Amino acid sequence: MKRYITICILVFGILVCGGFIYLNYYVNRNFLVDKVNGDSVSTTAIVKGDKVYQVDGNKQLKEIFIKGVNIGLGKPNAFPGEVSITKAEYTQWFEKIKEMGADYVRVYTLQSPAFYDALYEFNMVSEPLYLIQEAYMNEDYINQYKDVYNEKISSDFKTEIENIINAIHGNADIKKVVGHAHGNYTSDVSKYTIMLLLGIEFDGETIETTNRNNTSQTSFNGDYLYTENATPFEVFLAKYGDYAIKYETENYQKQTIIGFVNWPTSDPLDHPNEPEDMNKMQGFDVEHILHKNNFISGMVASYHVYPYYPDFLNFEDQSKFLTSAPTNPYQDYLKRLKQHHSIPVLIAEYGVPTSRGVTHIDSTRGFNQGGMSEQAQGNAILAMTQDIKDAGMCGSIIFSWQDEWFKRTWNTMELTSASGRSVWHDVQTSETSFGLLAFDSAEKMLKSSSLENNNLTIKVKSDAEYLTISLSKKNLNLNEDHFELFFDTTDSSGFDHLDNRKLKSFMDFYLNINGENNSELFVDPYYDNFNYLFGRQLNINLPIKQNTVLTSAELNPIRLRLRNRIRIPETKKEIEPSYYTTGKLTYGTIDRTSKEYKPENDFYVADDTITIRIAWELLNFSNPSQGFILDDFYNPYIEHIDGVEMKTKQINKITLGVTCNGKEIDYIDIPLNYWDQIDYQERLKQSYTIVKDSWNND
């Protein structure tokens, strides 16, 4: 009997010892468990060297390449702060995202309980979607104080971290605060949460101000993280990264991979040929933030990287910093990041938008910020995904899942009103159209009439994106029929003569439809917002004089800014401001259900009808939902201040003049339709199918 007991004790001892030497972990379903400070702590994924590992369905650690998509808070009829996306919408989106071949979704801040409920329930019946959760910093406070140690900024960030960790563990009851998610969080999605990203895209001024104001903050030694050779800004990040780890460990016996949000503007690399001073300010380096052995999950470096910005991607040879053969500037830059870091590098944002308007140019491959067809968007995403893989990154997260109408960008933000942006889609603004999912708004009929002088039938409709004009005539032939349209929107400018024709009223815009390749919208120089905003850089004498146009040759093309005047540091060469003609119309079907559809298409002929759609902003509408247009720029003349909205006024109609083949002009008044809400339908862009076909075959 004693011998039997002795044998049992020995067997038990062997099993216990074996348990401790199995990778120092044991695997339980889809997470790992280790001992931290004597307590069992679980984690969903871990970092080893420069790789990320996750427990697979066979309960084995497996190296992963993250294929994911970013989900924002925007949808039509609501601003992000209203947190209005429903559980049903999230569930539908998760289904489509999973079908696309993505296994990860990233969100930027605390979501509504509906998001976590939908994710939990989806994962109960499907192969899981894993979560990369960001803790957001209050940009309003940052823009105001420019120092992350400011009490309002740091206190708010600490609360955000606590709320997010509590929420993903299904243990939060968050009170309503305007502009933030709130409610009762009961769905525990922590086992599906593989990563916490902290922060935002920090600007150089904030980093430099923080470092200048807090010179005593030179090191940090926390419970889980510590610093070496750190700046005050990096010390701040380490403190709050450590706080996040400690909070989750002590309250939930769980740890999650940590990363800090960064982008090329504040990366730790040298860019000697970057022309913009604001992009050469101080950055930060997460290599100065290290973790102790009791943080079992590990850290990643996280970057948002696009191929067209900053300018060093166009003007600086990234390959000269590498030992490997050059590829393209985007991939070479990614390799520089990988070469710099000892930990995994995640590209947490990349993509191109399908907006009509363009904001920046990729001079190498044409992966521009705007002006991309849906097919081109999909192909560009795949090409950049391959760049990311070839550079040795640990993952790629597409920006973004859905279009977000509320967003603005630098070269159109003065032209549109802050109010109303959620109920109309400015297709001239690139930031609104990064999604793989579009929202197509319903059209409203504004006018249907006969034009007797020209023997035409006209129909005018509007939606959240365009004013659409259809003109019908027997045997219409675009190669033979020449259409001219005149638009009067404001009584403070315009021309009443054009090419020896006396017009009924002062017109502000002239549309010349002259075949598939030579059709363009022009503007009276006095009402040309490009002149007003950009004229000083182009040596245009301001203010412009009124009523000087007599011929169509004196009208101005409608243009958009792409880049201000810059000076290339290495060559000292000054490059003139860059812009392009956005009023030139593109021929092609505007039927969104057609395989031939492209967002940049403006007019098309079918069944003896020419249909022309004009983006609202091209007609100087700042908020078409309420009939607001840009007001007089020069009466009184005040020199423009960058970033400040231009003054507006409200109108209730447009006077339209139409002539075909030089006949007498017909004039009609088009009443405007105001709206507070818009009817819309979701539509997966062609880019979605392109990505789906590729990612499901990886």
Side-chain angles (χ1 to χ4, degrees):
M1 185 67 180
K2 289 182 180 179
R3 185 178 179 185
Y4 173 77
I5 293 172
T6 301
I7 293 172
C8 288
I9 291 172
L10 286 171
V11 170
F12 177 76
I14 292 169
L15 290 173
V16 170
C17 291
F20 279 112
I21 63 175
Y22 177 60
L23 290 176
N24 294 321
Y25 306 104
Y26 67 83
V27 179
N28 184 351
R29 295 186 182 177
N30 66 335
F31 57 89
L32 304 169
V33 178
D34 196 8
K35 291 289 185 180
V36 174
N37 302 328
D39 297 321
S40 294
V41 171
S42 66
T43 184
T44 307
I46 63 169
V47 168
K48 285 188 173 184
D50 63 352
K51 308 294 183 184
V52 177
Y53 294 81
Q54 190 172 345
V55 180
D56 65 13
N58 296 318
K59 301 182 182 179
Q60 299 293 317
L61 270 178
K62 181 180 180 181
E63 181 188 342
I64 59 170
F65 179 84
I66 294 168
K67 292 189 300 184
V69 64
N70 288 280
I71 301 178
L73 281 169
K75 73 172 188 177
N77 298 324
F79 283 96
E82 297 175 66
V83 198
S84 62
I85 302 171
T86 66
K87 180 180 174 182
E89 288 170 321
Y90 278 128
T91 299
Q92 292 171 4
W93 293 359
F94 294 158
E95 290 172 356
K96 295 301 181 184
I97 289 169
K98 193 68 180 178
E99 288 173 8
M100 187 179 72
D103 295 316
Y104 302 85
V105 292
R106 184 266 193 109
V107 294
Y108 292 88
T109 186
L110 179 69
Q111 307 294 293
S112 67
F115 171 84
Y116 302 100
D117 293 343
L119 182 63
Y120 180 84
E121 292 178 16
F122 177 83
N123 286 347
M124 289 296 98
V125 297
S126 305
E127 283 295 310
L129 268 177
Y130 293 96
L131 175 62
I132 297 173
Q133 173 72 61
E134 184 176 326
Y136 178 81
M137 292 184 75
N138 190 309
E139 287 191 86
D140 291 335
Y141 287 161
I142 287 177
N143 290 333
Q144 181 177 357
Y145 299 108
K146 294 293 184 181
D147 182 347
V148 294
Y149 283 91
N150 177 275
E151 176 62 26
K152 285 188 176 180
I153 295 174
S154 58
S155 176
D156 187 82
F157 190 37
K158 183 178 179 181
T159 300
E160 168 84 351
I161 290 170
E162 293 174 357
N163 285 343
I164 278 188
I165 292 172
N166 291 335
I168 63 177
H169 285 274
N171 183 35
D173 190 2
I174 299 173
K175 294 180 180 179
K176 183 175 182 178
V177 176
V178 175
H180 296 267
H182 64 279
N184 191 20
Y185 295 77
T186 59
S187 292
D188 184 351
V189 297
S190 59
K191 65 181 178 181
Y192 305 115
T193 304
I194 72 154
M195 194 176 297
L196 292 177
L197 298 180
L198 307 181
I200 60 171
E201 292 179 341
F202 295 103
D203 63 274
E205 184 182 356
T206 295
I207 296 171
E208 290 195 353
T209 301
T210 297
N211 290 338
R212 185 171 58 250
N213 290 352
N214 303 276
T215 54
S216 63
Q217 300 286 342
T218 57
S219 65
F220 174 73
N221 185 19
D223 293 302
Y224 301 93
L225 301 181
Y226 65 100
T227 62
E228 288 183 355
N229 304 314
T231 64
F233 187 85
E234 291 159 356
V235 167
F236 175 89
L237 295 180
K239 284 182 177 179
Y240 283 88
D242 187 81
Y243 181 76
I245 299 165
K246 183 177 181 179
Y247 189 87
E248 187 174 31
T249 302
E250 293 183 352
N251 288 281
Y252 299 104
Q253 296 74 54
K254 169 84 162 46
Q255 292 185 352
T256 307
I257 294 173
I258 287 282
F260 300 96
V261 178
N262 206 344
W263 61 324
T265 293
S266 54
D267 72 18
L269 307 179
D270 291 327
H271 298 292
N273 219 29
E274 166 56 46
E276 294 280 358
D277 289 339
M278 66 179 182
N279 292 331
K280 293 188 292 185
M281 302 175 80
Q282 291 179 21
F284 67 92
D285 190 351
V286 295
E287 291 293 317
H288 298 158
I289 304 172
L290 298 97
H291 70 86
K292 300 179 180 180
N293 290 335
N294 60 354
F295 181 39
I296 62 175
S297 301
M299 295 175 56
V300 300
S302 168
Y303 291 90
H304 301 167
V305 186
Y306 296 86
Y308 43 73
Y309 182 82
D311 281 325
F312 68 71
L313 287 167
N314 283 320
F315 294 106
E316 185 176 85
D317 181 6
Q318 300 300 303
S319 66
K320 71 180 182 180
F321 302 99
L322 301 170
T323 56
S324 57
T327 55
N328 61 70
Y330 184 74
Q331 186 180 139
D332 288 343
Y333 172 69
L334 297 178
K335 288 179 177 177
R336 286 190 68 193
L337 290 175
K338 182 68 173 62
Q339 180 177 269
H340 177 82
H341 286 290
S342 61
I343 56 179
V345 182
L346 171 68
I347 303 306
E349 273 190 17
Y350 70 109
V352 292
T354 59
S355 56
R356 187 186 185 280
V358 182
T359 304
H360 291 106
I361 295 294
D362 167 21
S363 61
T364 304
R365 293 185 289 182
F367 295 171
N368 302 330
Q369 189 177 1
M372 306 287 288
S373 70
E374 293 176 3
Q375 301 97 319
Q377 180 192 40
N379 291 330
I381 288 171
L382 294 184
M384 287 186 284
T385 304
Q386 192 61 51
D387 288 333
I388 292 166
K389 289 180 178 179
D390 290 345
M393 304 312 197
C394 71
S396 59
I397 308 178
I398 296 170
F399 184 81
S400 60
W401 172 244
Q402 82 273 33
D403 286 347
E404 295 187 289
W405 293 1
F406 73 92
K407 288 192 169 180
R408 312 177 86 180
T409 194
W410 77 274
N411 66 342
T412 60
M413 63 187 302
E414 297 102 335
L415 305 176
T416 59
S417 302
S419 62
R421 286 180 291 129
S422 66
V423 296
W424 74 285
H425 183 195
D426 181 17
V427 296
Q428 291 294 104
T429 293
S430 59
E431 282 292 320
T432 66
S433 303
F434 273 93
L436 300 173
L437 178 73
F439 302 106
D440 295 336
S441 62
E443 286 187 322
K444 301 287 187 181
M445 179 69 74
L446 300 181
K447 189 84 170 185
S448 179
S449 181
S450 296
L451 304 179
E452 295 181 359
N453 294 332
N454 289 270
N455 196 26
L456 298 172
T457 299
I458 185 171
K459 292 181 179 179
V460 183
K461 300 177 181 179
S462 72
D463 62 21
E465 298 174 322
Y466 299 97
L467 179 72
T468 301
I469 301 166
S470 296
L471 299 168
S472 301
K473 70 181 290 286
K474 189 175 181 180
N475 299 322
L476 190 152
N477 187 325
L478 191 58
N479 295 319
E480 298 176 0
D481 292 320
H482 178 210
F483 294 90
E484 297 173 276
L485 283 72
F486 304 82
F487 300 83
D488 176 18
T489 58
T490 175
D491 56 6
S492 57
S493 67
F495 50 93
D496 63 348
H497 288 79
L498 197 72
D499 299 333
N500 299 316
R501 288 174 292 186
K502 178 71 172 71
L503 306 178
K504 178 181 177 181
S505 61
F506 285 91
M507 295 292 175
D508 305 295
F509 298 90
Y510 168 67
L511 176 57
N512 181 30
I513 301 294
N514 189 17
E516 292 184 9
N517 301 313
N518 296 294
S519 296
E520 187 172 346
L521 182 68
F522 298 89
V523 62
D524 176 31
Y526 187 83
Y527 200 40
D528 182 1
N529 64 65
F530 178 86
N531 272 356
Y532 176 67
L533 295 172
F534 214 38
R536 293 297 183 195
Q537 287 203 46
L538 299 176
N539 300 314
I540 296 172
N541 290 325
L542 300 178
I544 303 292
K545 294 181 179 180
Q546 279 183 300
N547 306 332
T548 60
V549 170
L550 294 175
T551 68
S552 54
E554 296 172 276
L555 295 171
N556 281 1
I558 297 177
R559 294 158 288 182
L560 258 184
R561 300 170 289 167
L562 292 172
R563 189 186 61 243
N564 295 322
R565 181 180 286 109
I566 58 174
R567 185 179 179 86
I568 304 301
E570 291 184 343
T571 63
K572 304 296 188 281
K573 180 181 179 181
E574 192 168 272
I575 298 180
E576 289 300 305
S578 176
Y579 55 90
Y580 79 103
T581 300
T582 189
K584 186 172 177 60
L585 303 192
T586 299
Y587 184 81
T589 181
I590 56 179
D591 177 4
R592 294 181 176 96
T593 64
S594 170
K595 291 184 178 180
E596 304 302 317
Y597 172 75
K598 296 180 180 180
E600 65 268 33
N601 291 348
D602 299 303
F603 71 114
Y604 190 65
V605 172
D607 301 325
D608 288 340
T609 298
I610 180 170
T611 302
I612 310 154
R613 63 179 191 178
I614 304 172
W616 287 111
E617 191 190 290
L618 294 182
L619 295 172
N620 281 352
F621 275 85
S622 62
N623 177 8
S625 71
Q626 298 299 314
F628 281 98
I629 61 170
L630 300 181
D631 201 356
D632 195 320
F633 310 147
Y634 304 110
N635 185 23
Y637 174 56
I638 300 174
E639 191 167 333
H640 175 67
I641 301 172
D642 286 346
V644 176
E645 286 183 20
M646 299 169 69
K647 63 179 181 178
T648 64
K649 67 178 180 181
Q650 192 175 39
I651 61 173
N652 57 23
K653 69 178 178 67
I654 296 172
T655 297
L656 177 65
V658 180
T659 177
C660 179
N661 299 328
K663 295 179 181 177
E664 184 179 347
I665 300 172
D666 285 292
Y667 295 93
I668 58 170
D669 286 337
I670 310 297
L672 293 178
N673 171 55
Y674 297 169
W675 66 89
D676 296 312
Q677 297 277 297
I678 197 79
D679 294 328
Y680 67 91
Q681 289 185 329
E682 295 182 357
R683 176 178 58 84
L684 292 168
K685 297 180 184 178
Q686 295 171 45
S687 51
Y688 169 88
T689 303
I690 291 170
V691 173
K692 176 183 176 182
D693 290 345
S694 174
W695 279 19
N696 279 293
N697 289 316
D698 280 354

